[in-house]
Amino acid sequence: MKIKFNENEKTIEIKDGLKQQYFLMKMALIFTLINSVINSVLFPLFVLNEKQLKWMGFIWIILGITSTGILIYHRLKKTASDKLDISDISMLTEKQIFGRKRFSLKLKNGKFRDLMEMKKESDIIEMKKLFEEVGIKTT
C-alpha cells in the first residue's frame, strides 16, 4: 500500500486496490440477493416436498436479508476513494481485532476509509508520522 500526500491539491492518495475489492464484494452480494429473491419466489413452484420448501425458503430469506444489510452498511458507512481531501478527514482510528491492528480514516461525513495491508511496524510508524505532519489527529 502506498500513501502519498499531494501538497498542491491538499489531498491524500491511497493506492491499495480497495476499490476493486469492494466492487467484487458488492457484486457477489448483489448476485446473492438476486438468487435469494429468485429462489424464494420460484423455488416453491418446483419443490414437491413441503418440508424442503420450508427450510430452503427460510435459508434463502436469511441470505437475502443478510446481503441487503451488508450492502446498505457499505453504502452508508464505507468508502473506497483513492483520493481524499485533507479537510474531509476527521481522524485516523486504530482498532485491535483478533490480535491484529486495523487502521481506518474517519471522514467528517461519518464514513470510514479502511487502510488495508498495514502489516509491518515500519509502515505503521511511517503512516502515523505522515498523518501527524499533515495535521490529522491519530488515536
Side-chain angles (χ1 to χ4, degrees), residues 26-37 60 63-64 67:
K26 287 178 184 177
M27 290 305 298
L29 287 169
I30 289 170
F31 286 138
T32 303
L33 181 61
I34 292 169
N35 198 9
S36 173
V37 169
W60 281 112
L63 281 173
S67 295

Side-chain angles (χ1 to χ4, degrees), residues 14-86:
I14 304 168
K15 306 265 186 202
D16 62 352
L18 188 65
K19 190 175 274 193
Q20 292 172 342
Q21 289 177 2
Y22 276 8
F23 175 75
L24 292 174
M25 183 181 64
K26 287 178 184 177
M27 290 305 298
L29 287 169
I30 289 170
F31 286 138
T32 303
L33 181 61
I34 292 169
N35 198 9
S36 173
V37 169
I38 289 171
N39 283 313
S40 296
V41 175
L42 296 179
F43 192 66
L45 299 175
F46 302 111
V47 174
L48 301 175
N49 188 353
E50 197 171 307
K51 239 182 197 178
Q52 287 178 333
L53 173 66
K54 289 181 183 177
W55 282 105
M56 290 303 290
F58 182 68
I59 290 171
W60 281 112
I61 288 170
I62 289 174
L63 281 173
I65 290 170
T66 304
S67 295
T68 303
I70 294 171
L71 282 168
I72 290 170
Y73 173 75
H74 273 273
R75 180 74 176 145
L76 297 177
K77 291 292 183 183
K78 297 283 185 175
T79 185
S81 299
D82 292 337
K83 221 180 222 192
L84 297 168
D85 288 334
I86 296 294

Side-chain angles (χ1 to χ4, degrees), residues 1 3 24 28 46 57 61 80 84 89 103 106-107 136 138-139:
M1 171 165 61
I3 300 175
L24 292 174
F46 302 111
I61 288 170
L84 297 168
I89 300 172
F103 295 93
K106 184 177 181 183
L107 305 178
I136 297 172
T138 60
T139 59

